Structures are given as structure tokens and as C-alpha cells.
Amino acid sequence: GGENNEGGYAYYSEEMNRNTLDLLRIETGLLHAFEYNELLLYYQPKVDMATGSITGAEALVRWQHPERGLLLPGEFIPIAEETGLIVQLSDWVLDAVCRQARAWKEAGLAPIRIALNVTAREFTRSLPDRIRAALSRHMLSGDWLELEITESMLMHSTDRVITIMEKVCSLGITISLDDFGTGYSSLSYLKRFPINTLKIDRSFTMGIPEDTNDCAIASAIIGIAKQLRHKVIAEGVETEKQFNFLKDAGCNELQGYIFSRPVPATDFHAMLLEGRRL
Ligand code: C2E
Ligand code: CA
Ligand code: CA
Ligand code: CA
């Protein structure tokens, strides 16, 4: 290697680290993925703890890679974020969720909320209009959708964020605060935002019931949610002990392997038709 530009920057040195090449390879691959329809959505049920029945689902993106098999978001979302492709990816997810919801509606299902993960980067002024356009393109009402946002989004330009959230809510869409407790939310902030649900992060659920700190944090989050009249859901629930603890503590819903892993759309539809319960 060793070809330098004027600034003395080595373009093709050995330093052209693997990371850059990996990044390029995945970026090119992702562009290919859009073109050749290699992205797909899995759905993980959300379950009411009192009745054991399905209340909704979270849509989780997957990439059916031609050589590497089914890739999890951890393997490509960070790169999509770095390269800016996350915008295109999010548009794809929004459209794909609406298309699926429309198909379920046509199949006779009553509205059930499908949650989308929204990153800080796409939480912009244009988001409400993009969602509105997607809903109308697929002739859907907002009660089919939920947005999962993270608390880091609540920290900056508060008024701007509140305006966006209010527009989203006016479409009949609910908002839940994902990975709650892992960021730096100031509790006084919480009441200012039109949020429906707090989502207890899996890192806390995991330690229940052995880790007394995790138990205390989970209980505290449930307490805060009750005080603010928000719903509260625990993610990553795997065991009966976790279920019992959270239910006794007053948690409303759960999401986790104890009920189901994320599954393809047809499997989720089948669970709904079966009326499957925990
Ligand atoms: P997340 O939003 O916290 O999603 C929950 C993750 O926990 C999912 O991983 C899910 O499969 C996993 N999970 C659920 N229940 C259990 C359980 O009982 N045990 C264990 N061990 N894991 C459980 P997944 O699908 O790999 O997604 C990882 C992350 O990627 C998500 O974390 C989310 O931040 C991001 N992501 C997924 N889909 C999208 C998307 O469409 N757009 C964006 N922007 N991000 C996405
Ligand atoms: Ca999520
Ligand atoms: Ca989460
Ligand atoms: Ca999480």
C-alpha cells in the first residue's frame, strides 16, 4: 500500500483497518439487501401478565444474508447507523410493519399494536408525516402501531421532542420508553412527555430474583410507572421466578422467551388465532 494524498493520509496502507473494510462490505451488502428483499421482520409477542394473553408484538428486523445466514440486528444496525443507511432501513421497517398489519387487518384481526424501534437519528420533525403517510398508504389507523424510543432521546431539545411525540400520539399511536433505567433519565422529565409505557430493560430482569439490586430497581420502575399512570412491561422474561416476582410487584405485561422468541409473521398470526396463552 502506501499511496498518500496531499494531507499525507495513507489511503491504502495496512492501516486501512479491517474495520473500515468490514464496514464497507456490510454497507454494500445492506444496499444489496434492500434491492433484493433480504430484510425481514420477526415479531415477539407482548403478553398481559394477569390474563396470559397476547396484547401486541415488537417488530425486530433480521437480515437473511445470502452467505452468512440469518443475521441479528446487532450485526448490522450499528453499521447502518454509522453509514446513515439507518434512515433507509427505518423507512423499510415502517413500511413493512404497516404492510403486515394491513394483511392481518384484511385477515379479520382486530387492531393489535405492533411496536417499532425508533432511533434518535430518525426522531426528527418529519417523523410524524412519514408515519402518517405510511398509515394512509396501507389504509391503517394508528391503533396498529406503537413506537419504542429510548430515554436518551428525551434529554435534548425537550420542546422539539415533545412536539414530535404529541404529533405521533395524535395519530393514535402509543409510545413506550425502551431499555428504561439504563440511560440517564431525570425522573422529573418523565411526566412532561406523552409516554404510555415504561419498558424494564432485560439487564434488570435477568438478575431477578437472585440479585437484590435488580429486584429493587425493577420494583422501583414499576412504582414510578404506577405513580405516573403509565403501563409497565418487562423485557427478557425467561423464567417462572422472574414472572412471579414481576407479577407480584405489579408489572402489567411481559415480553420474553418464557412465552415466545421473536418469530416470523405467520407464526405470530397462528399464535393469535390459537388464542395462545402463557
Ligand atoms: P431491544 O429493542 O431491546 O429488543 C429486545 C431484544 O431482546 C431482541 O433482540 C429480542 O430478541 C431479545 N429478547 C427478547 N426476549 C428475550 C429473552 O427472554 N431472553 C433474551 N436473551 N433475549 C430476549 P434482537 O432482535 O437481537 O434485537 C436487538 C436490538 O436491535 C433491539 O433491542 C433493538 O435495539 C435493535 N433493533 C431490532 N430491530 C430494530 C429495528 O427495526 N430498528 C432499529 N432501529 N433497531 C432495531
Ligand atoms: Ca425495543
Ligand atoms: Ca428493549
Ligand atoms: Ca434491551
Side-chain angles (χ1 to χ4, degrees):
E3 188 174 312
N4 290 354
N5 70 3
E6 275 112 311
Y9 181 86
Y11 271 116
Y12 304 112
S13 72
E14 315 243 341
E15 315 286 281
M16 173 98 181
N17 48 55
R18 257 178 43 76
N19 285 342
T20 314
L21 287 173
D22 277 354
L23 201 124
L24 274 172
R25 201 151 41 80
I26 298 192
E27 185 181 5
T28 317
L30 257 179
L31 286 167
H32 187 273
F34 288 118
E35 194 173 342
Y36 292 90
N37 272 317
E38 292 166 7
L39 296 176
L40 66 162
L41 293 174
Y42 272 34
Y43 297 84
Q44 186 177 35
K46 299 188 180 194
V47 179
D48 186 303
M49 284 193 145
T51 65
S53 56
I54 298 172
T55 59
E58 177 175 5
L60 295 156
V61 70
R62 302 288 183 259
W63 177 5
Q64 187 63 60
H65 193 281
E67 287 125 38
R68 299 169 61 200
L70 194 67
L71 301 185
L72 293 172
E75 298 182 74
F76 59 92
I77 292 267
I79 291 163
E81 289 194 320
E82 272 181 70
T83 57
L85 281 174
I86 190 73
V87 175
Q88 199 178 338
L89 186 129
S90 306
D91 274 341
W92 181 86
V93 171
L94 174 62
D95 194 68
V97 164
C98 289
R99 189 176 327 112
Q100 183 59 66
R102 171 72 188 179
W104 283 330
K105 185 183 171 186
E106 304 245 285
L109 290 187
I112 180 167
R113 287 193 194 276
I114 312 299
L116 304 160
N117 290 285
V118 178
T119 60
R121 180 154 183 169
E122 48 181 310
F123 205 76
T124 60
R125 274 180 225 284
S126 68
L127 182 70
D129 282 335
R130 276 169 34 224
I131 297 176
R132 194 199 327 259
L135 286 173
S136 83
R137 201 160 54 238
H138 296 281
M139 291 179 285
L140 278 178
S141 54
D143 51 3
W144 282 90
L145 295 186
E146 176 161 83
L147 300 190
E148 294 194 4
I149 67 172
T150 55
E151 48 191 324
S152 59
M153 276 179 231
L154 308 187
M155 296 177 48
H156 313 288
S157 30
T158 309
D159 291 337
R160 190 184 68 95
V161 170
I162 290 179
T163 306
I164 298 170
M165 289 173 82
E166 281 171 348
K167 282 187 183 157
V168 167
C169 292
S170 72
L171 298 171
I173 295 167
T174 53
I175 297 177
S176 79
L177 211 44
D178 205 357
D179 302 339
F180 189 76
T182 61
Y184 325 76
S185 41
S186 139
L187 295 180
S188 66
Y189 262 38
L190 265 185
K191 64 175 185 222
R192 299 189 49 197
F193 295 91
I195 291 160
N196 305 82
T197 305
L198 300 186
K199 199 164 184 189
I200 300 172
D201 190 63
R202 186 165 73 87
S203 60
F204 304 123
T205 308
M206 263 167 57
I208 298 171
E210 295 82 9
D211 186 316
T212 50
N213 289 329
D214 286 343
C215 290
I217 292 168
S219 300
I221 294 174
I222 293 165
I224 292 164
K226 303 270 136 159
Q227 290 292 318
L228 295 173
R229 297 177 204 285
H230 296 331
K231 237 176 37 173
V232 56
I233 177 167
E235 72 177 12
V237 179
E238 296 183 356
T239 69
E240 206 160 319
K241 282 183 176 165
Q242 291 167 346
F243 171 83
N244 289 331
F245 177 91
L246 289 161
K247 190 178 178 195
D248 291 345
C251 190
N252 305 111
E253 294 184 11
L254 71 83
Q255 192 182 330
Y257 295 174
I258 191 174
F259 185 82
S260 171
R261 289 180 178 252
V263 293
T266 45
D267 297 14
F268 178 66
H269 191 187
M271 282 181 206
L272 287 172
L273 293 179
E274 273 166 32
R276 206 181 125 188
R277 275 161 194 270
L278 185 67

